[in-house]
Amino acid sequence: MLKKIINNKQYNLIILTLIYVITFIGLYMVYSSSSIWAKFYYNDEFYYFKRQAIFILIGTVLLYFFSKVKLSFLRKKALMILLIGIISLILVIIPFLGSQINGSRSWFKIGPFLFQPAEFFKIIMVLYMADRLDKYFNITKYFFKTILVLLIPCIIGFILIMLQPDFGTAIVMFSSIIMMCFISKNKFKNYLFLLSFAIIAFIVLIIISPYRSDRIQSFINPFSDPLGSGFQTIQSLYAIAPGGLIGKGIDASYQKYFYLPEPQTDFIFAIFAEDFGFIGCLILIILYTLLAFFIIKKAINEKSNYKCFLDIGVLSLIMIQVCINLCVVVGVIPVTGITLPFMSYGGSSITMLLSSIGLLINRSDEINEYNNVR
């Protein structure tokens, strides 16, 4: 027992180190990519940098809190937390309550800050599903009787997030939950039904939404509308290409000079690639890969199904976003609006991610168990 606790402690330390290395690289890149825009709009080149630093500080406090809170308490309150999350998703789409930005009503405005409930609903769903998959683990082999029933809150959340609309966040949330279900007793072939349904729904969503159709067309040929729907993809590629092997150098990007819109958010990786080149990008991808590797090792080492499900849920939230964001930036898939975890600017995103890491490194239950055994 003591050996397992020490191993988990070591994994936690490695995971935290990797997280904060990426986070502080991201903090620098938020300043580097946004300083020109911030100077123009707010007469303060550190505007986004200071706000991101505040968000990281808040996220660190939340990380510490969730690393100490008893997981047994969160399990008891899982249903109540889920209901609060669903209510917040309903309230945000009400016009006089939610704030609309770039066509999406996804935020509550609190003073000078914006709060995006969909970001936190993702981790709420991970907590809820980890609890339910653990409780019904022995009967999760029955796909239609168990898995589909457990997915009902996820489907409700998916629909509410789509009404904002926020297609990217909805996809990340739903995909992460499916990844958690994969490690249950259910057979892989049963998910083919769900995959078929998802593909049909995806096609329907594209057909009924003009802006999604435009994104698909711009993905196929960005130069068909170079000043419209294809603009970000083209400018992103123009940023990546000159980076070459070693990049232009620190803070040497050209695309951040009003060419690439809001480069500190979804397309921050393009500016990073322009500054640090292929080698820098490779190092960053290795950092994410190491993070995934050690979280998986930690999940395997867990002594409870609940904690294993929770670890895989958090890992999925992070790595699905990483994969989608990098694919968007290099033009492999259409623009989704998904940020790069721990790198991109965004208060709700960074605080949610750091909070989820707090849950991942939480050892309250196993420490209590060890103390009782001792």
Side-chain angles (χ1 to χ4, degrees), residues 245-266:
L245 183 64
I246 60 174
K248 290 182 176 179
I250 296 176
D251 203 28
S253 167
Y254 293 157
Q255 286 298 309
K256 67 184 180 182
Y257 285 87
F258 305 107
Y259 292 104
L260 184 60
E262 298 190 42
Q264 73 277 8
T265 55
D266 307 355

Side-chain angles (χ1 to χ4, degrees), residues 172-184:
V172 170
M173 184 268 295
F174 194 78
S175 301
S176 300
I177 299 305
I178 296 301
M179 290 300 295
M180 294 174 68
C181 294
F182 277 160
I183 61 171
S184 68

Side-chain angles (χ1 to χ4, degrees), residues 4-216:
K4 184 172 284 189
I5 291 176
I6 291 175
N7 286 340
N8 280 344
K9 185 176 181 180
Q10 291 171 344
Y11 286 135
N12 289 345
L13 181 60
I14 294 170
I15 290 168
L16 281 174
T17 300
L18 290 169
I19 287 296
Y20 277 98
V21 168
I22 298 172
T23 297
F24 285 113
I25 292 174
L27 182 60
Y28 164 75
M29 286 307 303
V30 166
Y31 163 73
S32 177
S33 60
S34 69
S35 59
I36 305 302
W37 289 78
K39 183 71 174 178
F40 178 78
Y41 284 113
Y42 303 103
N43 197 30
D44 180 5
E45 62 181 309
F46 293 97
Y47 177 82
Y48 292 106
F49 172 85
K50 290 186 291 187
R51 290 169 69 91
Q52 186 74 348
I54 292 172
F55 297 143
I56 291 172
L57 180 60
I58 294 171
T60 299
V61 172
L62 290 173
L63 184 154
Y64 179 80
F65 171 78
F66 284 111
S67 70
K68 298 298 181 182
V69 67
K70 292 190 181 301
L71 294 176
S72 56
F73 172 78
L74 291 179
R75 295 193 70 174
K76 290 178 182 178
K77 304 296 182 182
L79 184 58
M80 183 185 72
I81 295 172
L82 175 66
L83 290 174
I84 293 173
I86 291 175
I87 291 171
S88 68
L89 292 180
I90 295 172
L91 293 177
V92 79
I93 59 178
I94 298 175
F96 61 88
L97 292 178
S99 296
Q100 186 170 354
I101 299 175
N102 295 329
S104 296
R105 193 174 298 279
S106 306
W107 291 266
F108 290 120
K109 190 170 184 180
I110 305 173
F113 298 100
L114 294 170
F115 167 72
Q116 189 175 9
E119 284 289 337
F120 288 91
F121 188 77
K122 291 188 293 187
I123 192 61
I124 288 172
M125 274 306 310
V126 167
L127 280 168
Y128 175 80
M129 286 299 291
D131 176 64
R132 291 303 185 264
L133 287 170
D134 179 35
K135 285 182 177 178
Y136 302 105
F137 183 72
N138 291 327
I139 60 171
T140 52
K141 59 184 177 180
Y142 303 111
F143 182 76
F144 293 98
K145 292 182 179 180
T146 306
I147 298 297
L148 282 184
V149 173
L150 294 179
L151 285 175
I152 290 174
C154 183
I155 295 171
I156 293 173
F158 181 90
I159 294 171
L160 290 172
I161 294 173
M162 286 298 299
L163 290 175
Q164 297 179 7
D166 190 347
F167 184 69
T169 299
I171 289 295
V172 170
M173 184 268 295
F174 194 78
S175 301
S176 300
I177 299 305
I178 296 301
M179 290 300 295
M180 294 174 68
C181 294
F182 277 160
I183 61 171
S184 68
K185 286 191 172 185
N186 205 267
K187 295 181 180 179
F188 176 77
K189 65 178 183 180
N190 292 329
Y191 292 98
L192 294 178
F193 166 78
L194 194 61
L195 178 61
S196 301
F197 177 79
I199 292 173
I200 294 172
F202 180 74
I203 294 172
V204 171
L205 289 171
I206 292 174
I207 293 173
I208 65 175
S209 178
Y211 88 91
R212 293 193 191 101
S213 299
D214 291 341
R215 286 186 174 183
I216 295 295

Side-chain angles (χ1 to χ4, degrees), residues 195-293:
L195 178 61
S196 301
F197 177 79
I199 292 173
I200 294 172
F202 180 74
I203 294 172
V204 171
L205 289 171
I206 292 174
I207 293 173
I208 65 175
S209 178
Y211 88 91
R212 293 193 191 101
S213 299
D214 291 341
R215 286 186 174 183
I216 295 295
Q217 292 175 8
S218 66
F219 159 67
I220 296 172
N221 182 15
F223 291 92
S224 64
D225 188 12
L227 297 180
S229 57
F231 186 77
Q232 279 188 305
T233 301
I234 293 171
Q235 297 304 319
S236 175
L237 296 176
Y238 282 162
I240 294 171
L245 183 64
I246 60 174
K248 290 182 176 179
I250 296 176
D251 203 28
S253 167
Y254 293 157
Q255 286 298 309
K256 67 184 180 182
Y257 285 87
F258 305 107
Y259 292 104
L260 184 60
E262 298 190 42
Q264 73 277 8
T265 55
D266 307 355
F267 286 84
I268 196 168
F269 183 75
I271 304 300
F272 182 85
E274 189 177 7
D275 281 351
F276 298 101
F278 174 79
I279 293 177
C281 293
L282 182 61
I283 292 172
L284 183 62
I285 291 171
I286 289 173
L287 289 173
Y288 279 117
T289 304
L290 287 173
L291 178 62
F293 172 79

